Amino acid sequence: IQVYPNPADSFLRINASQLPKTEYIIQIIDVMGRVVWDGLLHNPAQPQIDISLLQSGAYQIILHDANGHNYSIPFIINR
């Protein structure tokens, strides 16, 4: 799984094309452990997420699938 650009500014792309084609819950977690964004991903090919409302800092993006697998990728927002 790749997240780019990293550091990011106003959007974030996820390349998860190697993951099974299933539905994923996406969460963005800040350094305090708070969920600051969440959504559903129906096709893990290369979605784009608008992060323009989030503060600069370090985050984790977590993908959860229906089988209980979690995929976590760190990224930075730098403006």
Side-chain angles (χ1 to χ4, degrees):
I1 303 171
Q2 297 174 316
V3 173
Y4 62 94
N6 192 7
D9 180 46
S10 58
F11 68 91
L12 190 66
R13 290 186 189 272
I14 303 170
N15 182 353
S17 57
Q18 71 276 18
L19 292 179
K21 305 290 189 247
T22 185
E23 188 172 85
Y24 293 87
I25 296 171
I26 301 177
Q27 293 181 313
I28 296 178
I29 312 293
D30 68 10
V31 293
M32 300 300 289
R34 297 175 296 208
V35 176
V36 295
W37 188 95
D38 62 359
L40 274 179
L41 173 63
H42 299 284
N43 180 358
Q46 287 193 342
Q48 179 172 306
I49 298 172
D50 181 358
I51 56 169
S52 61
L53 298 178
L54 300 180
Q55 301 281 330
S56 293
Y59 294 86
Q60 292 278 329
I61 188 162
I62 303 174
L63 281 70
H64 307 275
D65 71 13
N67 296 320
H69 297 107
N70 297 317
Y71 307 92
S72 177
I73 308 101
F75 73 96
I76 294 172
I77 297 176
N78 188 12
R79 296 195 181 91

